[in-house]
Amino acid sequence: MLKSTATLVLALTCAAGQAVAAEEPYISDLSRTEGLPEFVEARILESSGQFRDAVAAYERAVEKQPSVLEIRVRYASLLVDLGFTKRAVEVLDVEGELDWYGLRVRALALARHAGRNPESLAEAETALRLALDEREDEPNLQLGLAQVLHREGKVAEAEEVVATLRATRSGSPQLVAYHAGLLRELDRDEEAAELYAQCAAETFAPHEECRENLVLVLIELGRPGEAGEIMLRWLEDDDLDELLRAASLLYEGGRNTEALRAVRRVLREAPDSERAKTLEAYLLSSLGSHEEASAAFRALLRHDSENVDLILAMAWATASTGDAEEARRWIDRAWELVQQGSGSPRASRVALSAARVELVGDNTARAREWLDRVVDYDSSGEELAFLVAEAYRREERWSDGVAALLRLQPQLQGRARMIAIVFEAEFRLRMGDADGRKLLRPMLDSADPRDILLALQVMQQLERWEDVERESASALARNPEDRQLRFTRAAALERLGRADDAEQLFQSLIDQDPGDAASANYLGYSWADRGENLDEALNLITRAVAIEPENPAYLDSLGWVHYRLGDLDQAEYWLRRAVGFGSGDGTILAHLGEVLLERGDVDEARLLLQRALDAGCENPEHVQELLGRPIDGD
């Protein structure tokens, strides 16, 4: 989305709080001259609000005394207020030296006139700077200069002027919004979001425009969940469309519980809303309520039986309940609807969904059969590369996986092809093939941090922590401000046992951005796992969970720190929530199993610990010890 400054009607009578009173022209030489009666009449008419008659009286006064600047300045000032800026400029276009008040009126007239006549912008800028040379803190002139600079395309200079104005005057919401728009044009979106948030909190114009811009900026910053959460602060129950928009943003941001609450607010007001019922079904599936989601999708399909997206969602929900056969029936139904256009993006989407469903049940051969039907490489490339790799990873068929990825790569472009190469490199390294490292080298040396991070992820998967630390340190020398590279290096340092160095890096990330949930969780969990700084760990992890309340890793950390603190009730509560959101994660299962073992729930604890071993977990030796049996191979 292109960024543009919000369109605001900013009057040049400064919006920045209490404006400085301009000096009135001192009529020193009119007492015995012709034109005084007309001038006095004009002033009286102006003060009583009879502006049309005042203009006429000023015209007569100027005609009788064209050389008296005081008359012209007072007349031009009224014309500026009334919006007749071209005439105001003409009135002041005479010989003679204007005092500061005259310079001010002429500058404001030119600034307003230039708003509709771009050819006058340079002259307006010169006039404004001349007036500001004599009184640099006059807010009307500062704002006028900012607007002129902005229209000239000098956005950075305009922002500096507005920042100075806001620093010296109590800013109105209009001025705050204008400043935010300038920051947005300069790609300083974080700062813009802060200002839009200030303006959005007001109860009068332009708060509604600020609210919309705040939402848009947060979306552009990749924070849709935060955008949806903020929207809920001002939405009423009858704002149905906006509530659904907020719910969709929350869903996109992974805040599914909050999204579901928002959707149900809509359904209370509009129980027949198909949009709301559809989103509710998807949210139930995302939250792991697959039985309830299946029922919801089934009801929707009764009214829209050929909706391929709903059919695929139904297939996923039923597969997630363990009913593979019903899931396949739904997939077959979807394929019937698209197979006549088997080369279409729609057909490829069905094939990808079918492969995902088969992988849920570890039916890798069937998954590969479906992946062979994908021909829309442009829109499916990245997901296709991932699923092809996963179909071979499940069986640890590294050599066959390399061959499949090599066949796929010529069909892919751009980032999709790079992802396929990354998986090839991983599989080669798992085979002990040094060519895997050669494939990663161009990415590690790339100027694009995204490419570097892709390659580093392979090393993380292989737990080559010394390589991760060395390569991320090298990348940071080229990209010192990249937060994800710093996070990756900090994690590698922690894995290497260099806890103090890791803590310093994580703490710097948190200090710079207190909303960095990933860093807060990682540092807090590291302390909890070592039994150190437990109160600080609890604070950090609680902050992470508040930001992402449905992240199973963060919920697991919160349960684990409560366990270390000896609060078994809270530990079990949070770990069960973590299992609910990420039931297949071996480490989460192991943590809950250990807590239940401590509580004396031996049967469930042993079941969970065995599932943890089967799924793959951290510290399997410790889990084996808890189960009371030797480690395999001892």
Side-chain angles (χ1 to χ4, degrees):
M1 179 178 296
L2 293 175
K3 298 180 181 179
S4 63
T5 301
T7 303
L8 294 171
V9 180
L10 291 176
L12 283 170
T13 53
C14 181
Q18 182 64 43
V20 174
E23 295 174 359
E24 291 286 344
Y26 177 60
I27 310 303
S28 57
D29 57 349
L30 289 175
S31 58
R32 297 183 178 84
T33 65
E34 187 178 3
L36 176 60
E38 290 81 3
F39 177 75
V40 172
E41 179 187 5
R43 294 301 304 273
I44 293 171
L45 289 167
E46 180 182 355
S47 65
S48 62
Q50 300 178 64
F51 300 123
R52 182 187 297 273
D53 293 337
V55 167
Y58 274 125
E59 284 284 359
R60 292 194 299 273
V62 169
E63 288 174 5
K64 291 187 176 182
Q65 285 294 336
S67 62
V68 177
L69 293 179
E70 287 88 346
I71 296 177
R72 289 181 173 272
V73 168
R74 184 63 256 180
Y75 180 25
S77 179
L78 174 60
L79 290 169
V80 170
D81 291 343
L82 295 175
F84 300 123
T85 53
K86 182 179 180 181
R87 176 60 182 148
V89 173
E90 293 171 350
V91 166
L92 293 178
D93 187 18
V94 292
E95 294 183 4
E97 185 174 347
L98 296 171
D99 61 8
W100 179 80
Y101 184 83
L103 291 174
R104 172 185 182 276
V105 172
R106 181 172 183 275
L108 293 179
L110 282 165
R112 293 282 290 274
H113 182 62
R116 295 183 294 274
N117 300 274
E119 67 277 3
S120 303
L121 286 169
E123 185 182 4
E125 180 184 347
T126 300
L128 287 160
R129 291 191 184 279
L130 181 64
L132 283 166
D133 284 343
E134 295 197 23
R135 183 168 297 178
E136 64 181 13
D137 62 346
E138 210 287 329
N140 299 294
L141 295 172
Q142 288 176 305
L143 181 57
L145 178 60
Q147 291 177 304
V148 166
L149 290 168
H150 185 202
R151 294 186 187 108
E152 289 180 298
K154 302 174 182 178
V155 183
E157 293 180 57
E159 188 278 325
E160 289 180 8
V161 173
V162 173
T164 300
L165 177 56
R166 289 190 56 243
T168 56
R169 302 284 166 184
S170 56
S172 73
Q174 290 88 348
L175 188 61
V176 172
Y178 184 54
H179 192 190
L182 294 171
L183 290 169
R184 195 174 175 199
E185 287 192 54
L186 293 168
D187 291 325
R188 292 163 61 181
D189 287 345
E190 292 285 357
E191 296 170 79
E194 291 180 11
L195 293 187
Y196 279 134
Q198 289 180 30
C199 173
E202 300 289 345
T203 57
F204 47 89
H207 67 285
E208 291 186 0
E209 188 172 347
C210 288
R211 288 173 176 179
E212 177 60 23
N213 279 306
L214 175 58
V215 169
L216 293 175
V217 170
L218 290 172
I219 292 170
E220 290 173 10
L221 286 169
R223 291 150 57 182
E226 186 177 343
E229 180 185 2
I230 285 173
M231 287 180 70
L232 293 180
R233 296 176 189 172
W234 61 68
L235 292 177
E236 303 293 338
D237 285 342
D238 58 354
D239 296 326
L240 302 184
D241 287 339
E242 287 298 281
L243 279 171
L244 279 177
R245 182 188 179 202
S248 297
L249 290 170
L250 289 163
Y251 181 26
E252 185 181 347
R255 302 187 182 192
N256 297 330
T257 300
E258 295 170 75
L260 185 60
R261 283 198 292 266
V263 167
R264 286 179 169 166
R265 282 176 64 184
V266 174
L267 288 170
R268 283 196 296 270
E269 299 294 322
D272 295 326
S273 169
E274 291 297 313
R275 287 175 57 205
K277 288 192 288 187
T278 300
L279 184 52
E280 180 189 38
Y282 280 103
L283 286 165
L284 288 168
S285 183
S286 297
L287 288 166
S289 302
H290 297 299
E291 294 285 356
E292 196 176 351
S294 296
F297 283 124
R298 203 180 304 276
L300 289 165
L301 283 163
R302 281 197 289 270
H303 302 286
D304 194 1
S305 61
E306 295 189 355
N307 186 315
V308 172
D309 290 330
L310 288 178
I311 292 170
L312 293 177
M314 182 68 178
W316 177 258
T318 51
S320 299
T321 65
D323 193 342
E325 290 306 315
E326 184 181 359
R328 288 190 184 111
R329 287 196 294 272
W330 287 109
I331 289 292
D332 290 341
R333 173 61 180 147
W335 187 250
E336 287 174 10
L337 294 170
V338 302
Q339 63 180 341
Q340 288 185 345
S342 58
S344 68
R346 200 163 174 236
S348 291
R349 191 168 73 251
V350 172
L352 289 169
S353 297
R356 285 196 299 272
V357 165
E358 295 295 349
L359 285 172
V360 169
D362 282 332
N363 297 305
T364 53
R366 288 191 178 189
R368 288 192 290 269
E369 289 174 6
W370 279 109
L371 293 172
D372 287 339
R373 302 186 190 188
V374 176
V375 294
D376 173 31
Y377 301 109
D378 290 338
S379 62
S380 305
E382 293 187 23
E383 185 176 6
L384 177 60
F386 171 79
L387 291 174
V388 167
E390 190 63 21
Y392 287 96
R393 180 184 282 108
R394 297 283 181 94
E395 298 174 338
E396 299 186 1
R397 293 172 55 186
W398 311 123
S399 179
D400 291 340
V402 167
L405 289 163
L406 284 171
R407 289 193 299 272
L408 178 61
Q409 286 170 26
Q411 315 299 325
L412 304 179
Q413 300 293 326
R415 193 155 188 84
R417 187 168 186 273
M418 185 177 294
I419 289 171
I421 293 171
V422 163
F423 286 128
E424 180 197 345
E426 177 195 341
F427 286 13
R428 287 187 182 278
L429 288 169
R430 290 187 184 278
M431 295 162 54
D433 184 345
D435 285 344
R437 186 60 180 264
K438 293 178 183 177
L439 289 172
L440 294 178
R441 190 72 260 164
M443 298 178 206
L444 291 168
D445 293 337
S446 170
D448 189 338
R450 296 178 305 163
D451 298 345
I452 300 168
L453 288 164
L454 266 180
L456 290 174
Q457 285 172 13
V458 172
M459 296 177 176
Q460 288 174 311
Q461 286 281 339
L462 300 171
E463 298 187 356
R464 298 190 175 188
W465 301 113
E466 290 184 358
D467 289 341
V468 175
E469 194 280 322
R470 183 179 63 255
E471 295 291 354
S472 59
S474 175
L476 277 168
R478 307 191 300 274
N479 305 276
E481 299 304 316
D482 191 277
R483 293 181 60 83
Q484 192 58 45
L485 284 172
R486 288 162 65 194
F487 180 95
T488 300
R489 182 167 185 245
L493 288 167
E494 191 272 336
R495 293 282 187 153
L496 290 168
R498 295 167 58 183
D500 290 344
D501 292 336
E503 179 181 329
Q504 184 176 355
L505 259 181
F506 278 126
Q507 196 63 63
S508 70
L509 286 166
I510 296 166
D511 290 343
Q512 282 186 353
D513 179 10
D516 184 348
S519 295
N521 175 72
Y522 201 114
L523 180 55
Y525 178 79
S526 299
W527 281 337
D529 209 36
R530 297 196 302 269
E532 301 173 357
N533 305 322
L534 293 180
D535 290 334
E536 294 176 66
L538 178 61
N539 288 335
L540 285 175
I541 297 167
T542 300
R543 184 193 307 174
V545 170
I547 295 169
E548 295 185 34
E550 291 156 19
N551 187 312
Y554 300 173
L555 294 168
D556 170 64
S557 298
L558 189 53
W560 197 238
V561 73
H562 277 296
Y563 173 63
R564 292 298 198 189
L565 286 164
D567 189 343
L568 298 182
D569 288 341
Q570 283 293 301
E572 180 181 351
Y573 171 78
W574 291 109
L575 287 168
R576 286 197 184 278
R577 282 183 59 82
V579 168
F581 286 111
S583 58
D585 186 282
T587 298
I588 297 175
L589 294 169
H591 285 162
L592 180 56
E594 186 164 351
V595 168
L596 293 178
L597 199 63
E598 185 77 14
R599 304 200 74 170
D601 300 330
V602 176
D603 291 341
E604 186 180 1
R606 290 182 63 83
L607 178 64
L608 288 166
L609 292 169
Q610 186 58 57
R611 283 176 57 195
L613 286 175
D614 294 341
C617 60
E618 293 180 354
N619 301 321
E621 297 87 354
H622 178 62
V623 175
Q624 290 276 21
E625 182 183 341
L626 292 173
L627 282 167
R629 68 188 191 202
I631 300 171
D632 291 343
D634 279 5

